[in-house]
Every structure is written in C-alpha cells, then in structure tokens.
Amino acid sequence: MSSDATPNPYADPVAFGQRMQIYRQRRGMSRPVLAGLLGKSPSWVKQVEAGQIQPPKLPMILRIAELLRVRDLADLTGDQSLHIDLFIGPGHPRLAAVKVAVDAFPFTADREAPSAQHLRHRLDRAWAARHEAPNHREVIGGLLPDLIRDAQLAVRQADTGTDRRAAMAILSEVYSLSQFFVAYQPDAALLWRVAERGMVAAQDSEDPHAIGVAAWLTAQAHRDSGPAHLGAADAVTLEALRYLEPRLPDADEHVRAIAGALQFEAGYTAARRGETGAAWGWWDKAEKTARKLPGNYFHPVTSFGRAIMGAHAVTVAVELHQGGESVRQAARADKSVIKSRPRRARHRIEEARAYQLDGQPDTALAALGKAHESAPETIRYNGYARRIVLEQTESRHPERRQRASELAVKLGMLAA
C-alpha cells in the first residue's frame, strides 16, 4: 500500500484525547475555559488530549460530552458499543401515526372541513391538555393526527382569502403543537418538516402571533441542532422581533407575550454561546416585557409571563455554567406559580443542572425526582436529566447510586 493512502479510521482509531481536542476546537473553546468548567486544571486537559494520562471515568466523560455538545457518546469515546444519544429521548409509540399525518399529501377529500371555530376549540383543548396532563406526549400524540388532517383540509377548502389566512394561522399552530410532540425524538427530519411547514403557514396567514410562535419554535430547533446553528437561531429570532416590534403598541397580550418569549430566546442562545452580558441583557428585556402583562397572564404556547421569568433566569445561569449563580436563581424562583406541568418539570430539571454544576448531586437527584412527579414524559425525553441520572448511577456513594438507578429505571434507561 502506498504511503499516501487514506488511513482506515477503524484500523487505527482516533484516541479519546484526540477526539476531545477536535470537539473542543470545533466549539471554539480554549483549554483553560474547558478546564474551569470541569473543575480541572488546563494541564489536566492538555494531558488527556495528548494521551499522557488515562481517559477519565464515565461521569467526567458525560460532563465533557455535555459541555462540548457531543450528541452521541460513541463519537467522543470511539467505542462503538456506547451509542448513547445524550440529547434525544426514546421514540414515542404515537410517533408513527403523527408522522403519517404530517407526511400525507392528499389532493381531494370526500368530506367537508370543520369550521375554523371548531378547529380553534379543539386546538385550545389540545394546548390545555399539553400543559395539564403528566403524560402530555401521550395525550397530544393521540389528538394530533386528526387535527393535522382537518387543519390541512380547512386550508384547501377555504373560499376566500380571509378564510384561507385564518385557516393558515390555525394550521401553523397545529404544526407548533406537533413540534412540541416531535422534539427530542429520534426523527430529526420530521422535526424540521414540521418546523418549516409551520413557518410557511404562519407567513401565509399574515398573523403576527402565528408568525411569532413559529419563529420561536424554529429558533429552538436551530439552537438544539448544535453550536454550528446558533447563528441561524439568532437570525430567526431577531428577524421575528424586527417584524413584531412596530406592531406591539396596538397588539393584544398574546402578541406582546410572544415578543417577550422571543427576547428570552435571544438571551438563551447568547448564553449557549457563552456571552454573559448579552444573555442577561436579553433576559432583562424579556423581564420588562413580562411586567407589562397582567400578573396572572400565561401564554398558551410558550408559558411566557411574569411567573416564568425566575425559571428563565435559572436557565441563563445554567447555560453560562455559573454554578453558584444558578443555585441562587433556583432558590429565588417560585416554581409553584408555573401553571404548565411540563414547564414546571422542565424548571426542576434546570434546577438539577444548577445543583449538579454546584457540586450538590443529591439535591440534583431530588429535583429530578420532583420533575418526574410533575410530568414523567418531560424528564424521560430530556437529555440533560438523562445525563445527570446516568452519571450518578456510577457514583461512589451507594445510597446516591441506588437513588439514581431507581430513577433510571423509571426513565426507561435501565431494566427493572
């Protein structure tokens, strides 16, 4: 074989340290920064990357994977038996039926489409179920196939431009509900079809609220796709805010709330990028918007309102890897006033991340237990929760290991 032949990566696999260095450099993170976030010295990071010391144990590998946003553990370790997607949950039993409804492309129909008022009533009930049911994916997964088909039919049978725009606004919101169901499941292509169709329908509706909601969800889809997509998340968020801001003086509460939700999304993305000043600056803007809403206001899609801002502050601090600050924000946040069960569970997960960052794993596990009590289907599909649980199943402390293992069984990560 000639000396310039392409090497076989499986014959001479890349070592763990080299993989870690590659992902760190792709993330644009220096050794001192990664070392500080791991509670290690820069020289330790250098030695691991150079292969001068043994690769760390699983808990540290999981923490490195989260910081470097490595989705599949096998990509970091090189061990093809460790295919664990840290940010994707299991496939829901109703995913196939929802996918069939999304992918269908009928041209004709032998029935009359439901009225816009009827669809609106069904959609409102579906949103309520999404916020109130502990098994919210199961509930909305059962409702979505018929909602998708009927909303599509309403658009096709609309007689006037006004009727068609109204039907498009409802269809866009149905796709938004679908995105909540499809997110963090093992079908990225379906997630993007839903997000893109929702955005197109919203634009065709010319409805500011529908456009804001679709942009809010599309920005999240970009951000959750990894560091390379943070710019796209920003572009969608900022363009939507430029569209909405001139309309806010005469807008209703829902439109003002979706603008506030988008302001927080800009802060969330900045925090993911490590931009402390920008992250908290956008949080301040969102908080000012929330204060202009009634005290008990709750946005039916995003949960935005005054009550959610404490939870949002925890998220910003956690994404910035500020352990002490995230714990302080968690202590200040009033989770009891968050109306949505899945959003309340999500906040408990963010609390767990805060306590894990602050070196309080027992408190982190307790927070995850409360998240499971609130909405089991939220924690089951959350990659951060799964990572913390998996890490603590390797704890040196028997009681902590036992608690983590019991929670892992509940989440379907370990056999009973």
Side-chain angles (χ1 to χ4, degrees):
M1 181 179 293
S2 64
S3 59
D4 59 352
T6 302
N8 182 344
Y10 295 99
D12 186 19
V14 178
F16 171 83
Q18 292 173 288
R19 291 172 183 269
M20 176 174 153
Q21 182 177 8
I22 289 168
Y23 281 109
R24 176 180 61 76
Q25 291 173 338
R26 284 184 185 176
R27 185 85 196 271
M29 187 181 291
S30 68
R31 281 186 183 132
V33 169
L34 179 59
L37 294 173
L38 293 172
K40 296 288 187 177
S41 67
S43 63
W44 181 87
V45 173
K46 183 177 181 179
Q47 287 177 311
V48 172
E49 291 182 345
Q52 295 172 350
I53 58 176
Q54 290 294 316
K57 293 185 178 180
L58 181 60
M60 181 59 72
I61 290 175
L62 289 167
R63 190 162 298 180
I64 293 168
E66 179 185 346
L67 291 171
L68 300 182
R69 297 293 293 177
V70 180
R71 303 193 72 87
D72 190 334
L73 205 57
D75 291 340
L76 181 61
T77 64
D79 184 347
Q80 297 304 304
S81 67
L82 280 178
H83 281 294
I84 302 173
D85 195 318
L86 298 173
F87 298 94
I88 297 294
H92 194 278
R94 294 193 182 273
L95 179 62
V98 173
K99 177 179 170 65
V100 167
V102 171
D103 289 346
F105 196 64
F107 285 95
T108 59
D110 55 2
R111 61 188 178 90
E112 185 177 350
S115 67
Q117 183 178 9
H118 178 71
L119 284 171
R120 179 75 260 169
H121 178 68
R122 286 166 58 190
L123 187 52
D124 288 344
R125 286 176 56 199
W127 280 120
R130 196 259 160 186
H131 290 298
E132 294 168 5
N135 59 332
H136 52 92
R137 285 183 187 266
E138 173 66 22
V139 174
I140 65 173
L143 297 173
L144 276 172
D146 285 341
L147 259 177
I148 293 168
R149 285 188 282 264
D150 287 349
Q152 290 173 335
L153 187 62
V155 170
R156 293 203 307 275
Q157 293 185 4
D159 293 326
T160 67
T162 299
D163 289 344
R164 190 173 190 279
R165 286 191 293 273
M168 277 292 189
I170 291 174
L171 178 60
S172 174
E173 199 170 321
V174 170
Y175 282 133
S176 295
L177 181 64
S178 303
Q179 191 169 334
F180 275 98
F181 174 80
V182 175
Y184 308 115
Q185 295 203 55
D187 195 334
L190 179 62
L191 175 69
W192 278 107
R193 281 200 298 283
V194 168
E196 289 167 357
R197 290 185 189 182
M199 181 61 82
V200 170
Q203 290 171 329
D204 286 348
S205 78
E206 301 179 10
D207 182 289
H209 181 256
I211 290 170
V213 169
W216 181 77
L217 283 164
T218 301
Q220 291 187 11
H222 279 299
R223 188 177 60 241
D224 289 343
S225 296
H229 299 265
L230 296 182
D234 272 335
V236 172
T237 302
L238 298 179
E239 186 63 28
L241 284 170
R242 279 192 290 269
Y243 167 80
L244 289 173
E245 282 168 357
R247 295 165 170 79
L248 293 181
D250 300 319
D252 63 19
E253 292 173 350
H254 285 352
V255 174
R256 284 185 280 133
I258 195 60
L262 284 162
Q263 288 167 338
F264 170 69
E265 287 306 308
Y268 193 158
T269 303
R272 181 67 60 83
R273 196 183 276 115
E275 298 171 350
T276 303
W280 287 114
W282 279 110
W283 184 91
D284 285 339
K285 290 181 181 179
E287 202 267 343
K288 289 176 183 176
T289 300
R291 286 188 176 276
K292 295 176 183 177
L293 298 168
N296 62 348
Y297 176 82
F298 169 80
H299 188 264
V301 178
T302 68
S303 301
F304 187 81
R306 294 188 193 182
I308 205 69
M309 292 311 300
H312 281 340
V314 177
T315 297
V316 169
V318 167
E319 289 294 339
L320 290 169
H321 302 287
Q322 298 173 339
E325 179 64 20
S326 60
V327 167
R328 284 190 291 273
Q329 293 293 346
R332 292 174 56 189
D334 187 354
K335 63 282 296 179
S336 65
V337 300
I338 301 175
K339 295 181 180 180
S340 169
R341 289 181 72 119
R343 188 60 186 84
R344 201 156 59 240
R346 163 76 185 283
H347 175 54
R348 291 292 193 183
I349 293 167
E350 296 295 271
E351 279 188 323
R353 293 179 66 195
Y355 289 118
Q356 187 80 351
L357 274 172
D358 200 48
Q360 302 183 51
D362 289 317
T363 312
L365 286 174
L368 292 180
K370 292 176 181 177
H372 188 267
E373 291 173 8
S374 181
E377 287 193 339
T378 294
I379 184 172
R380 183 179 177 87
Y381 288 83
N382 186 282
Y384 294 114
R386 289 154 59 89
R387 196 272 296 170
I388 292 171
V389 171
L390 188 60
E391 178 175 332
Q392 294 308 324
T393 60
E394 298 285 322
S395 171
R396 295 178 181 177
H397 302 277
E399 291 184 5
R400 187 185 305 156
R401 189 167 61 244
Q402 178 66 24
R403 291 176 64 191
S405 298
E406 290 172 357
L407 191 51
V409 170
K410 292 178 181 179
L411 301 184
M413 298 169 63
L414 295 176

